[in-house]
Amino acid sequence: MTSASEQIGPTRAEARWRSILVDDAPPLPLAVASLVVFLAAAWLLASPSLIVSRHMTWDMLFNLAGAWHLVNGHEPHVDFHDPLGSLSFYLSKIGFLITGPSVGGFIVGEIIAATAICVAAFVAALRRLPLLPAAVFVGYSSLLILMPTNVGDSVHDITFAMSYNTLGWAALGVLSLIFFVPPRGEAMGGWPDLVVATLLILALYDLKITYFGAAMAELAVALAVSEPIRRHARRWLIAGAAISLHAIAPYNWPYLADIFTAIEAGAVNNDIRALTVRLFDNVPELSLVAIAALTALGLWRSGDIPLRLPAAVILLVVTAAAMLSQNTQTQGLTLSVTIAFLLYDYFRGNRSEGRAPARLWILVAALVFPLIVMSKQAANLAIYYRQASLGKDLFVFDKGPLRGLAVPAGRPGLFDALNRNVADYTLLNRIRSVETGDQEISQFEYARTLLDAAQLFEAPDRRAGSIVLFDQVNPLPFILQRAPARGVSLWLAPHFPWLDAEDMLGDASYVLVPKFSTSIAVTRLAVDKYTPYLDRHFSERIESRSWFLYVRKTPRRFSP
């Protein structure tokens, strides 16, 4: 026989576990837990004096170039063109108000975005999940934005490239919880959910149109199968109609024109074979979501759950795969973490008393995947903090707007050696492509080309006038703190639309052609397309270690 003390012990332990795994989350403890995780992550990201970028530094500079256009009063999709929305540029512009026009403004913009997602995730999780899973969900959502790496990449792949994707994934995860996990009670008539979801969908429209499309698809499915959404269908339909009218309103026509032009140019990736290869590169996660989908379907067929759960799981799997096809990462079905929380809600059941201890272990098991993913996010931030704090084996920009930006150090003098001994400057790009698999120039080499370009404009007669660069991105106006040219494409890529020469170069006083570009295909296309215009309107060509500089004969129009 067991003693009374032995019987009481497990009961108390079970009660403690129930309080964090089954019972509704108390607001204050959840707020404290969420705030602690958020502040710790933000501190790891922002406290070092260096900002480390080990991959695709030009993509972060793309963001700063777009923000610099906004600072100079340029209107997105009118004065500069790109199928991406302008929200990420505005975030960095707000960051400039705090740090000045510097690379630090990008970090501030990331923290602002993470703050908004943290609040939205808190509102969504508070009435839907118990304390521990709610804290994990809020922490995961904010860390997804703050971690300096791409979704699906290694924890050591430090990069701020395509930060808009992590913001998009995080927002879709919060929306999925609102749409497909029933809330506990109807606090304030469900208006907080409506407000948060509407703001997130509007933000996704101005972030990237593919995430907006995924969000609207989630709303449509939720109106069909989710009881809480159907209960207030009228207000959700009004919100959806208002969002749709905003999306097609005349003030958004320039944005839509850039999107349609990109689609016509072939920017949409519809290669099913490539997507299949990407998915099979990540068999464990693909297996996990397939098991989740089959489990949800089986439970629905047996009558144990409503249609809402399998419909949501299948939608999230399809949405994640479709979104992956339009991004550059090779794995990372981020919405699979959200699926874990949907299943958790089912295992939590009807919140009745008398739960068996085995049910608590099932709930713990349901949290394993989100906790492992969150651990990876924390490890990435910790690795970043250590590298940025030590500053070891890094090349650091020591002045100007890029001051504090650090990239992996490399061998100096390579450009000089190539200029002396090699006639074909594309040799470096080809060698780097073989070495790295995709990147045609190292981060150190890219940094040196930017410094070389800046030196070209130190001459007194070149300290005014706008610059166009025949490379993927053009950070020179931001680096030199001069007005960028109007009418240009913000990102150049072979599958993106190419502007006519007058539109692209009509406002340029100078054109820079790189010897060692981030994409030799882009540079070749630009040279082929725009050389006749250069021959007619640019008289002087100056050569440096890594650039050919073309100077306009007579400036025709200038940026204000």
Side-chain angles (χ1 to χ4, degrees), residues 54-113:
R54 291 191 169 274
H55 299 282
M56 292 188 68
T57 304
W58 42 86
D59 198 284
M60 180 172 63
L61 297 187
F62 159 77
N63 176 281
L64 295 171
W68 186 242
H69 273 277
L70 299 179
V71 170
N72 282 268
H74 291 190
E75 183 178 350
H77 312 292
V78 175
D79 296 312
F80 62 94
H81 298 278
D82 193 85
L84 191 70
S86 56
L87 177 60
S88 56
F89 306 141
Y90 278 105
L91 289 171
S92 292
K93 181 185 176 183
I94 295 172
F96 292 163
L97 298 177
I98 299 173
T99 67
S102 69
V103 69
F106 175 87
I107 300 298
V108 173
E110 292 288 280
I111 293 174
I112 293 171

Side-chain angles (χ1 to χ4, degrees), residues 106-134:
F106 175 87
I107 300 298
V108 173
E110 292 288 280
I111 293 174
I112 293 171
T115 301
I117 288 295
C118 186
V119 172
F122 175 86
V123 172
L126 178 60
R127 294 180 298 112
R128 288 176 168 83
L129 297 172
L131 180 58
L132 181 57

Side-chain angles (χ1 to χ4, degrees), residues 322-453:
M323 297 299 299
L324 187 63
S325 72
Q326 301 305 312
N327 296 337
T328 60
Q329 66 262 32
T330 58
Q331 57 186 7
L333 296 174
T334 308
L335 292 180
S336 59
V337 176
T338 308
I339 293 173
F341 289 105
L342 300 185
L343 294 175
Y344 187 98
D345 180 68
Y346 165 73
F347 292 132
R348 184 189 182 193
N350 61 9
R351 306 174 180 87
S352 63
E353 297 297 328
R355 286 284 166 198
R359 180 60 60 90
L360 297 180
W361 284 107
I362 293 174
L363 293 177
V364 171
L367 287 178
V368 168
F369 180 54
L371 283 169
I372 290 176
V373 175
M374 191 174 173
S375 299
K376 176 184 176 181
Q377 295 171 324
N380 176 250
L381 276 163
I383 291 170
Y384 173 83
Y385 175 79
R386 184 175 186 275
Q387 293 184 5
S389 299
L390 294 177
K392 186 179 179 181
D393 299 325
L394 296 173
F395 173 81
V396 182
F397 289 87
D398 58 3
K399 61 181 179 180
L402 297 185
R403 183 174 183 176
L405 177 61
V407 299
R411 295 171 296 173
L414 179 60
F415 294 153
D416 291 332
L418 287 169
N419 274 304
R420 286 194 304 267
N421 302 309
V422 178
D424 182 7
Y425 300 114
T426 66
L427 179 63
L428 176 64
N429 291 79
R430 298 202 301 272
I431 292 173
R432 288 286 177 264
S433 181
V434 171
E435 288 180 345
T436 64
D438 55 356
Q439 296 183 13
E440 300 178 23
I441 188 172
S442 74
Q443 308 308 294
F444 173 75
E445 291 158 357
Y446 181 61
R448 295 305 297 259
T449 64
L450 294 179
L451 293 176
D452 184 29

Side-chain angles (χ1 to χ4, degrees), residues 239-299:
I243 293 169
S244 301
L245 289 175
H246 163 74
I248 61 174
Y251 51 78
N252 277 319
W253 287 356
Y255 179 25
L256 295 174
D258 276 353
I259 292 171
F260 290 137
T261 302
I263 293 173
E264 291 174 357
V268 174
N269 183 1
N270 57 6
D271 190 341
I272 300 299
R273 291 176 300 176
L275 175 60
T276 303
V277 170
R278 288 188 180 190
L279 292 175
F280 281 108
D281 280 343
N282 191 18
V283 170
E285 190 174 3
L286 180 63
S287 302
L288 180 66
V289 296
I291 291 171
L294 290 173
T295 300
L297 281 172
L299 291 171

Side-chain angles (χ1 to χ4, degrees), residues 32-48 107 110-112 114-115 118 138-148 160 374-386:
V32 171
S34 303
L35 190 62
V36 167
V37 172
F38 173 81
L39 291 178
W43 182 80
L44 288 172
L45 180 66
S47 62
I107 300 298
E110 292 288 280
I111 293 174
I112 293 171
T115 301
C118 186
V138 177
Y140 161 78
S141 299
S142 55
L143 289 179
L144 188 59
I145 300 172
L146 292 173
M147 65 175 186
F160 293 99
M374 191 174 173
S375 299
K376 176 184 176 181
Q377 295 171 324
N380 176 250
L381 276 163
I383 291 170
Y384 173 83
Y385 175 79
R386 184 175 186 275

